[in-house]
């Protein structure tokens, strides 16, 4: 049986793709260091869930997203047994049929994401992709999607940054959940309007900023379309993307995000 790591909530994580004998031998030549505590990950731990990126001790300390008491459509906190529909933090129709997040956007996860996106550290996609996969596998998410669509960047921002972080995460995610590479369909959705970065806007303007920013590129396949993004805060970007896809015939649109910004039940608390 493969080594596992049990979180405080009882979820047991295992390495999604344990190293082969040859890979295990090569890793002994250049010992890996844990990205957090910087301790050597020894050979006997190479098939731990997050190896060769994180040791089990640091893996357990990450801000894992707890689904209990959260709206399944947007991730906001809801009262147990409440019959009042969740507002999803927006004042318009919600188009996402399901949301799954691996982590809460804080602490070391926030540092890694910021370094990944704005510090040109594309190599962090290997670590973040593994953690993303462990979060989704641990939650037992549905895998019957017809295609995976990363949230696109506008061409101007893509040229400036040099890469689309959501596309890199999607690549690593597919590898770690052992899904077919052909499921990745980045051309299904296009960004046709350049928008102001959400991080530069106050909460009310974030809600409407992504409106009409997307258009369908390739034909929309039947079944469930799975959107991939790095961070969800207000949810307006994912909601706008889902609205565009459904207007073009998508039957169902779900989303997996690496991190969800959640502070309280009040949507105004999402933005600091």
């Amino acid at each position: 049986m493969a080594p596992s790591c049990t979180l405080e909530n009882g979820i047991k994580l295992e390495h999604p793709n344990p190293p082969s004998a040859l890979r295990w031998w090569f890793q002994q030549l250049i010992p890996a260091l844990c990205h957090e505590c910087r301790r050597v990950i020894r050979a006997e731990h190479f098939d731990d869930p997050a190896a060769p990126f994180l040791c089990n001790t640091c893996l357990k300390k990450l801000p894992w997203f707890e689904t209990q008491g959260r709206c399944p459509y947007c991730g906001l906190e809801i009262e147990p047994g409440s019959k009042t529909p969740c507002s999803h933090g927006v004042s318009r129709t919600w188009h996402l049929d399901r949301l799954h997040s691996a982590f809460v956007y804080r602490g070391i996860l926030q540092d890694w994401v910021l370094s990944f996106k704005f510090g040109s550290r594309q190599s962090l996609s290997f670590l973040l992709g593994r953690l993303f996969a462990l979060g989704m596998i641990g939650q037992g998410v549905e895998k019957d999607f017809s295609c995976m669509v990363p949230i696109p960047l506008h061409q101007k921002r893509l040229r400036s940054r040099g890469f689309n972080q959501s596309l890199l995460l999607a690549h690593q995610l597919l590898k770690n959940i052992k899904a077919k590479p052909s499921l990745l369909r980045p051309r299904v959705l296009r960004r046709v309007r350049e928008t102001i970065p959400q991080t530069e806007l106050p909460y009310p303007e974030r809600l409407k900023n992504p409106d009409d920013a997307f258009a369908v590129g390739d034909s929309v396949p039947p079944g469930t379309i799975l959107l991939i993004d790095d961070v969800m805060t207000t949810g307006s970007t994912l909601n706008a993307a889902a609205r565009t896809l459904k207007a073009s015939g998508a039957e169902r649109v779900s989303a997996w995000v690496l991190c969800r910004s959640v502070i309280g039940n009040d949507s105004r608390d999402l933005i600091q």
Side-chain angles (χ1 to χ4, degrees):
M1 181 179 293
S4 63
C5 174
T6 303
L7 306 180
E8 289 184 1
N9 57 12
I11 292 177
K12 183 177 291 186
L13 303 176
E14 294 182 355
H15 198 304
N17 188 23
S20 64
L22 181 61
R23 192 164 133 216
W24 182 87
W25 184 81
F26 274 119
Q27 285 180 332
Q28 290 186 82
L29 299 179
I30 307 177
L33 296 179
C34 173
H35 275 64
E36 170 65 338
C37 67
R38 309 307 296 172
R39 293 177 181 172
V40 172
I41 298 176
R42 300 187 180 279
E44 59 267 29
H45 296 292
F46 283 166
D47 51 0
D48 281 352
F53 309 110
L54 281 183
C55 66
N56 277 352
T57 300
C58 292
L59 182 65
K60 291 179 181 180
K61 294 178 181 178
L62 296 179
W64 297 90
F65 187 87
E66 295 289 345
T67 57
Q68 287 288 346
R70 299 287 180 187
C71 173
Y73 304 103
C74 72
L76 285 181
E77 188 176 2
I78 55 176
E79 292 292 332
S82 174
K83 296 182 180 180
T84 303
C86 180
S87 68
H88 310 310
V90 299
S91 58
R92 60 201 66 193
T93 304
W94 192 253
H95 297 276
L96 275 180
D97 294 294
R98 185 74 178 178
L99 170 78
H100 289 284
S101 176
F103 300 96
V104 175
Y105 187 55
R106 67 167 183 250
I108 189 62
L109 253 298
Q110 183 173 356
D111 294 341
W112 285 334
V113 169
L114 291 174
S115 295
F116 174 46
K117 288 174 67 172
F118 306 115
S120 297
R121 293 186 63 190
Q122 293 98 312
S123 60
L124 283 172
S125 65
F126 296 97
L127 162 67
L128 296 177
R130 170 69 62 78
L131 297 178
F132 201 167
L134 289 175
M136 296 299 97
I137 293 170
Q139 291 179 23
V141 297
E142 70 280 359
K143 296 181 182 178
D144 57 347
F145 52 88
S146 57
C147 71
M148 181 182 284
V149 179
I151 291 295
L153 295 179
H154 188 269
Q155 284 298 320
K156 186 174 180 180
R157 190 169 303 167
L158 183 60
R159 286 193 297 269
S160 173
R161 184 172 297 169
F163 64 96
N164 178 353
Q165 72 279 356
S166 297
L167 178 58
L168 290 185
L169 285 176
H171 272 297
Q172 296 302 323
L173 187 55
L174 279 175
K175 289 181 182 179
N176 280 280
I177 65 173
K178 300 179 181 178
K180 296 179 180 178
S182 59
L183 288 172
L184 185 59
R185 298 278 301 279
R187 292 187 174 87
V188 167
L189 196 64
R190 297 184 298 121
R191 198 137 191 169
V192 295
R193 182 173 66 83
E194 184 183 4
T195 56
I196 300 172
Q198 292 284 78
T199 54
E200 298 178 10
L201 294 173
Y203 178 76
E205 293 183 30
R206 287 190 183 196
L207 295 180
K208 59 184 179 181
N209 186 44
D211 286 354
D212 304 316
F214 300 103
V216 167
D218 292 351
S219 60
V220 175
T224 299
I225 294 178
L226 181 63
L227 294 172
I228 301 296
D229 208 0
D230 57 334
V231 179
M232 176 181 175
T233 303
T234 66
S236 55
T237 298
L238 287 164
N239 196 41
R243 181 172 62 246
T244 298
L245 290 167
K246 286 189 171 181
S248 296
E251 300 170 12
R252 179 180 169 86
V253 181
S254 298
W256 293 0
V257 296
L258 174 64
C259 300
R260 174 67 159 106
S261 291
V262 171
I263 298 174
N265 192 41
D266 189 340
S267 60
R268 291 171 299 179
D269 291 340
L270 292 172
I271 312 302
Q272 293 298 299

